[in-house]
Short mmCIF file of all heavy atoms in Angstrom, two decimals:
data_model
loop_
_atom_site.label_atom_id
_atom_site.label_comp_id
_atom_site.label_asym_id
_atom_site.label_seq_id
_atom_site.Cartn_x
_atom_site.Cartn_y
_atom_site.Cartn_z
N ILE A 994 92.76 145.66 -10.00
CA ILE A 994 93.34 144.55 -9.28
C ILE A 994 94.70 144.19 -9.81
O ILE A 994 95.39 143.30 -9.32
CB ILE A 994 92.44 143.33 -9.34
CG1 ILE A 994 92.21 142.91 -10.82
CG2 ILE A 994 91.15 143.61 -8.69
CD1 ILE A 994 91.49 141.58 -10.98
N ALA A 995 95.22 144.86 -10.87
CA ALA A 995 96.47 144.45 -11.51
C ALA A 995 97.64 144.40 -10.57
O ALA A 995 98.53 143.53 -10.75
CB ALA A 995 96.75 145.35 -12.71
N ASP A 996 97.69 145.34 -9.67
CA ASP A 996 98.87 145.47 -8.80
C ASP A 996 98.94 144.30 -7.73
O ASP A 996 99.96 144.05 -7.09
CB ASP A 996 98.93 146.82 -8.07
CG ASP A 996 99.28 147.86 -9.00
OD1 ASP A 996 99.82 147.65 -10.10
OD2 ASP A 996 98.94 149.05 -8.66
N ALA A 997 97.85 143.63 -7.56
CA ALA A 997 97.74 142.53 -6.51
C ALA A 997 98.38 141.23 -6.96
O ALA A 997 98.54 140.33 -6.15
CB ALA A 997 96.26 142.34 -6.12
N TYR A 998 98.76 141.10 -8.23
CA TYR A 998 99.17 139.83 -8.73
C TYR A 998 100.50 140.00 -9.67
O TYR A 998 100.64 141.08 -10.20
CB TYR A 998 98.09 139.13 -9.52
CG TYR A 998 96.85 138.87 -8.73
CD1 TYR A 998 95.81 139.78 -8.72
CD2 TYR A 998 96.75 137.84 -7.86
CE1 TYR A 998 94.67 139.63 -7.93
CE2 TYR A 998 95.67 137.61 -7.06
CZ TYR A 998 94.60 138.54 -7.11
OH TYR A 998 93.48 138.40 -6.33
N ASP A 999 101.24 138.96 -9.69
CA ASP A 999 102.49 139.00 -10.51
C ASP A 999 102.38 138.04 -11.72
O ASP A 999 103.05 138.29 -12.76
CB ASP A 999 103.70 138.50 -9.67
CG ASP A 999 103.93 139.45 -8.40
OD1 ASP A 999 103.76 140.65 -8.51
OD2 ASP A 999 104.10 138.89 -7.35
N THR A 1000 101.66 136.95 -11.57
CA THR A 1000 101.51 135.95 -12.65
C THR A 1000 100.09 135.72 -13.01
O THR A 1000 99.21 135.65 -12.14
CB THR A 1000 102.15 134.62 -12.17
OG1 THR A 1000 103.52 134.84 -11.76
CG2 THR A 1000 102.07 133.63 -13.22
N TYR A 1001 99.80 135.73 -14.33
CA TYR A 1001 98.48 135.56 -14.76
C TYR A 1001 98.34 134.36 -15.70
O TYR A 1001 99.14 134.22 -16.63
CB TYR A 1001 98.01 136.84 -15.53
CG TYR A 1001 97.97 138.13 -14.68
CD1 TYR A 1001 99.11 138.85 -14.51
CD2 TYR A 1001 96.84 138.39 -13.94
CE1 TYR A 1001 99.07 139.97 -13.70
CE2 TYR A 1001 96.82 139.52 -13.11
CZ TYR A 1001 97.95 140.28 -13.00
OH TYR A 1001 97.94 141.35 -12.14
N LEU A 1002 97.39 133.46 -15.40
CA LEU A 1002 97.07 132.33 -16.19
C LEU A 1002 95.88 132.69 -17.03
O LEU A 1002 94.77 132.82 -16.52
CB LEU A 1002 96.78 131.12 -15.34
CG LEU A 1002 97.95 130.75 -14.36
CD1 LEU A 1002 97.49 129.53 -13.48
CD2 LEU A 1002 99.20 130.35 -15.15
N VAL A 1003 95.99 132.87 -18.32
CA VAL A 1003 95.01 133.54 -19.15
C VAL A 1003 94.39 132.52 -20.09
O VAL A 1003 95.15 131.92 -20.97
CB VAL A 1003 95.58 134.71 -20.00
CG1 VAL A 1003 94.51 135.45 -20.70
CG2 VAL A 1003 96.38 135.64 -19.07
N ASP A 1004 93.07 132.30 -20.03
CA ASP A 1004 92.34 131.51 -20.99
C ASP A 1004 92.32 132.33 -22.31
O ASP A 1004 92.42 133.59 -22.26
CB ASP A 1004 90.95 131.25 -20.47
CG ASP A 1004 90.18 130.36 -21.41
OD1 ASP A 1004 90.77 129.38 -21.99
OD2 ASP A 1004 88.94 130.60 -21.59
N GLN A 1005 92.24 131.65 -23.40
CA GLN A 1005 92.18 132.38 -24.70
C GLN A 1005 90.80 132.63 -25.22
O GLN A 1005 90.33 133.73 -25.32
CB GLN A 1005 93.12 131.80 -25.69
CG GLN A 1005 93.00 130.32 -25.95
CD GLN A 1005 93.80 129.82 -27.15
OE1 GLN A 1005 94.20 130.61 -28.05
NE2 GLN A 1005 93.98 128.59 -27.28
N TRP A 1006 90.17 131.52 -25.65
CA TRP A 1006 88.86 131.63 -26.26
C TRP A 1006 87.79 132.20 -25.33
O TRP A 1006 87.67 131.62 -24.28
CB TRP A 1006 88.37 130.25 -26.78
CG TRP A 1006 87.27 130.26 -27.75
CD1 TRP A 1006 86.08 130.81 -27.58
CD2 TRP A 1006 87.27 129.66 -29.10
NE1 TRP A 1006 85.28 130.56 -28.72
CE2 TRP A 1006 86.00 129.88 -29.62
CE3 TRP A 1006 88.22 128.95 -29.84
CZ2 TRP A 1006 85.66 129.39 -30.89
CZ3 TRP A 1006 87.84 128.48 -31.09
CH2 TRP A 1006 86.62 128.72 -31.61
N GLY A 1007 87.08 133.20 -25.66
CA GLY A 1007 86.11 133.81 -24.80
C GLY A 1007 86.69 134.95 -23.91
O GLY A 1007 85.96 135.72 -23.27
N VAL A 1008 88.07 135.04 -23.86
CA VAL A 1008 88.65 136.05 -23.11
C VAL A 1008 89.46 137.04 -23.98
O VAL A 1008 89.25 138.18 -24.01
CB VAL A 1008 89.63 135.39 -22.03
CG1 VAL A 1008 90.35 136.51 -21.24
CG2 VAL A 1008 88.83 134.63 -21.05
N LEU A 1009 90.41 136.41 -24.75
CA LEU A 1009 91.24 137.23 -25.65
C LEU A 1009 90.76 137.31 -27.08
O LEU A 1009 91.03 138.27 -27.81
CB LEU A 1009 92.67 136.67 -25.71
CG LEU A 1009 93.45 136.65 -24.42
CD1 LEU A 1009 94.85 136.06 -24.68
CD2 LEU A 1009 93.67 138.09 -23.91
N HIS A 1010 89.91 136.37 -27.45
CA HIS A 1010 89.41 136.30 -28.84
C HIS A 1010 88.18 135.40 -28.92
O HIS A 1010 87.84 134.65 -27.92
CB HIS A 1010 90.50 135.85 -29.80
CG HIS A 1010 90.96 134.48 -29.57
ND1 HIS A 1010 90.29 133.30 -29.88
CD2 HIS A 1010 92.15 134.04 -29.07
CE1 HIS A 1010 90.98 132.24 -29.57
NE2 HIS A 1010 92.11 132.63 -29.06
N ASP A 1011 87.49 135.36 -30.06
CA ASP A 1011 86.35 134.52 -30.24
C ASP A 1011 86.63 133.40 -31.21
O ASP A 1011 85.63 132.77 -31.72
CB ASP A 1011 85.13 135.33 -30.73
CG ASP A 1011 85.32 136.00 -32.07
OD1 ASP A 1011 86.39 135.66 -32.72
OD2 ASP A 1011 84.54 136.81 -32.49
N GLY A 1012 87.87 133.07 -31.35
CA GLY A 1012 88.24 131.96 -32.31
C GLY A 1012 88.57 132.55 -33.66
O GLY A 1012 89.20 131.87 -34.52
N HIS A 1013 88.10 133.79 -33.98
CA HIS A 1013 88.37 134.38 -35.24
C HIS A 1013 89.00 135.81 -35.19
O HIS A 1013 89.84 136.18 -35.97
CB HIS A 1013 87.07 134.48 -36.15
CG HIS A 1013 86.46 133.13 -36.35
ND1 HIS A 1013 86.83 132.31 -37.35
CD2 HIS A 1013 85.42 132.55 -35.71
CE1 HIS A 1013 86.10 131.23 -37.30
NE2 HIS A 1013 85.22 131.36 -36.31
N THR A 1014 88.51 136.56 -34.18
CA THR A 1014 88.86 137.94 -34.01
C THR A 1014 89.27 138.19 -32.61
O THR A 1014 88.72 137.81 -31.64
CB THR A 1014 87.65 138.82 -34.37
OG1 THR A 1014 87.23 138.52 -35.70
CG2 THR A 1014 88.09 140.29 -34.39
N ALA A 1015 90.41 139.02 -32.51
CA ALA A 1015 90.89 139.35 -31.17
C ALA A 1015 89.95 140.36 -30.54
O ALA A 1015 89.28 141.17 -31.24
CB ALA A 1015 92.31 139.99 -31.28
N HIS A 1016 89.80 140.28 -29.20
CA HIS A 1016 89.12 141.30 -28.43
C HIS A 1016 90.12 142.43 -28.09
O HIS A 1016 90.96 142.17 -27.19
CB HIS A 1016 88.52 140.72 -27.18
CG HIS A 1016 87.51 139.69 -27.38
ND1 HIS A 1016 86.62 139.70 -28.45
CD2 HIS A 1016 87.32 138.50 -26.77
CE1 HIS A 1016 85.86 138.56 -28.43
NE2 HIS A 1016 86.24 137.84 -27.41
N ALA A 1017 90.08 143.54 -28.78
CA ALA A 1017 91.08 144.55 -28.67
C ALA A 1017 91.28 145.05 -27.22
O ALA A 1017 92.42 145.21 -26.79
CB ALA A 1017 90.76 145.75 -29.59
N PRO A 1018 90.22 145.28 -26.48
CA PRO A 1018 90.44 145.78 -25.11
C PRO A 1018 91.11 144.75 -24.23
O PRO A 1018 91.94 145.13 -23.34
CB PRO A 1018 88.98 145.99 -24.57
CG PRO A 1018 88.15 146.25 -25.80
CD PRO A 1018 88.77 145.37 -26.80
N ALA A 1019 90.87 143.45 -24.43
CA ALA A 1019 91.57 142.43 -23.70
C ALA A 1019 93.08 142.33 -24.05
O ALA A 1019 93.91 142.14 -23.20
CB ALA A 1019 90.93 141.05 -23.94
N VAL A 1020 93.32 142.56 -25.31
CA VAL A 1020 94.75 142.51 -25.82
C VAL A 1020 95.46 143.71 -25.18
O VAL A 1020 96.64 143.66 -24.81
CB VAL A 1020 94.85 142.50 -27.34
CG1 VAL A 1020 96.32 142.57 -27.77
CG2 VAL A 1020 94.20 141.27 -27.83
N ASP A 1021 94.78 144.87 -25.10
CA ASP A 1021 95.34 146.08 -24.44
C ASP A 1021 95.71 145.79 -22.94
O ASP A 1021 96.76 146.20 -22.55
CB ASP A 1021 94.31 147.21 -24.48
CG ASP A 1021 94.81 148.42 -23.75
OD1 ASP A 1021 95.81 149.01 -24.14
OD2 ASP A 1021 94.17 148.78 -22.75
N VAL A 1022 94.84 145.04 -22.32
CA VAL A 1022 95.18 144.65 -20.94
C VAL A 1022 96.51 143.87 -20.89
O VAL A 1022 97.37 144.03 -20.01
CB VAL A 1022 94.05 143.82 -20.28
CG1 VAL A 1022 94.49 143.17 -18.96
CG2 VAL A 1022 92.81 144.70 -20.10
N MET A 1023 96.67 142.90 -21.84
CA MET A 1023 97.90 142.11 -21.86
C MET A 1023 99.15 143.00 -22.08
O MET A 1023 100.18 142.83 -21.42
CB MET A 1023 97.78 141.11 -22.99
CG MET A 1023 96.67 140.01 -22.83
SD MET A 1023 96.89 138.90 -21.42
CE MET A 1023 95.67 139.63 -20.29
N HIS A 1024 98.98 143.98 -22.94
CA HIS A 1024 100.18 144.90 -23.18
C HIS A 1024 100.46 145.71 -21.93
O HIS A 1024 101.61 145.93 -21.64
CB HIS A 1024 99.80 145.89 -24.36
CG HIS A 1024 99.98 145.30 -25.68
ND1 HIS A 1024 101.22 145.22 -26.30
CD2 HIS A 1024 99.05 144.80 -26.61
CE1 HIS A 1024 101.07 144.68 -27.49
NE2 HIS A 1024 99.88 144.38 -27.70
N ARG A 1025 99.49 146.22 -21.23
CA ARG A 1025 99.68 146.95 -20.04
C ARG A 1025 100.38 146.10 -18.90
O ARG A 1025 101.24 146.55 -18.25
CB ARG A 1025 98.37 147.50 -19.52
CG ARG A 1025 97.77 148.67 -20.37
CD ARG A 1025 96.45 149.01 -19.89
NE ARG A 1025 95.76 150.03 -20.75
CZ ARG A 1025 95.72 151.29 -20.44
NH1 ARG A 1025 96.37 151.77 -19.36
NH2 ARG A 1025 95.14 152.17 -21.23
N LEU A 1026 99.86 144.86 -18.82
CA LEU A 1026 100.51 143.95 -17.83
C LEU A 1026 101.92 143.65 -18.17
O LEU A 1026 102.84 143.55 -17.36
CB LEU A 1026 99.67 142.71 -17.63
CG LEU A 1026 98.27 142.88 -17.09
CD1 LEU A 1026 97.54 141.54 -17.11
CD2 LEU A 1026 98.41 143.37 -15.62
N LYS A 1027 102.20 143.38 -19.53
CA LYS A 1027 103.54 143.09 -19.94
C LYS A 1027 104.44 144.26 -19.69
O LYS A 1027 105.61 144.09 -19.16
CB LYS A 1027 103.52 142.76 -21.44
CG LYS A 1027 104.88 142.26 -22.02
CD LYS A 1027 105.19 140.88 -21.44
CE LYS A 1027 106.38 140.39 -22.20
NZ LYS A 1027 106.76 139.01 -21.68
N ASP A 1028 104.03 145.52 -19.94
CA ASP A 1028 104.80 146.65 -19.74
C ASP A 1028 105.06 146.91 -18.25
O ASP A 1028 106.14 147.51 -17.84
CB ASP A 1028 104.09 147.90 -20.20
CG ASP A 1028 104.03 147.96 -21.76
OD1 ASP A 1028 104.82 147.21 -22.42
OD2 ASP A 1028 103.19 148.75 -22.33
N ALA A 1029 104.24 146.33 -17.38
CA ALA A 1029 104.39 146.45 -15.95
C ALA A 1029 105.28 145.31 -15.36
O ALA A 1029 105.46 145.22 -14.18
CB ALA A 1029 103.05 146.46 -15.21
N GLY A 1030 105.77 144.49 -16.28
CA GLY A 1030 106.69 143.41 -15.80
C GLY A 1030 105.99 142.16 -15.27
O GLY A 1030 106.61 141.36 -14.62
N LYS A 1031 104.69 142.03 -15.57
CA LYS A 1031 103.99 140.86 -15.04
C LYS A 1031 104.28 139.63 -15.95
O LYS A 1031 104.69 139.76 -17.13
CB LYS A 1031 102.45 141.15 -15.11
CG LYS A 1031 102.01 142.36 -14.35
CD LYS A 1031 102.27 142.24 -12.83
CE LYS A 1031 101.76 143.48 -12.10
NZ LYS A 1031 102.01 143.34 -10.61
N LYS A 1032 104.02 138.50 -15.42
CA LYS A 1032 104.27 137.20 -16.14
C LYS A 1032 102.90 136.76 -16.68
O LYS A 1032 101.95 136.57 -15.96
CB LYS A 1032 104.88 136.12 -15.28
CG LYS A 1032 105.27 134.86 -16.06
CD LYS A 1032 106.09 133.96 -15.13
CE LYS A 1032 106.58 132.73 -15.97
NZ LYS A 1032 107.49 131.87 -15.21
N LEU A 1033 102.81 136.57 -18.01
CA LEU A 1033 101.59 136.16 -18.65
C LEU A 1033 101.73 134.74 -19.26
O LEU A 1033 102.63 134.56 -20.09
CB LEU A 1033 101.21 137.17 -19.76
CG LEU A 1033 101.16 138.63 -19.30
CD1 LEU A 1033 100.81 139.46 -20.53
CD2 LEU A 1033 100.08 138.77 -18.33
N ILE A 1034 100.82 133.89 -18.93
CA ILE A 1034 100.91 132.43 -19.40
C ILE A 1034 99.51 132.11 -20.02
O ILE A 1034 98.53 132.22 -19.34
CB ILE A 1034 101.26 131.51 -18.35
CG1 ILE A 1034 102.64 131.85 -17.79
CG2 ILE A 1034 101.26 130.05 -18.88
CD1 ILE A 1034 102.90 131.06 -16.50
#
């Protein structure tokens, strides 16, 4: 679905990390979207 959107409103706890440790696959998604020129908030 990445190509269908330009701007992403991203929750942090439960999505990107658990409060202590980053979720590596989710962070990888952020890198891919950033490289594609998407706006991440």
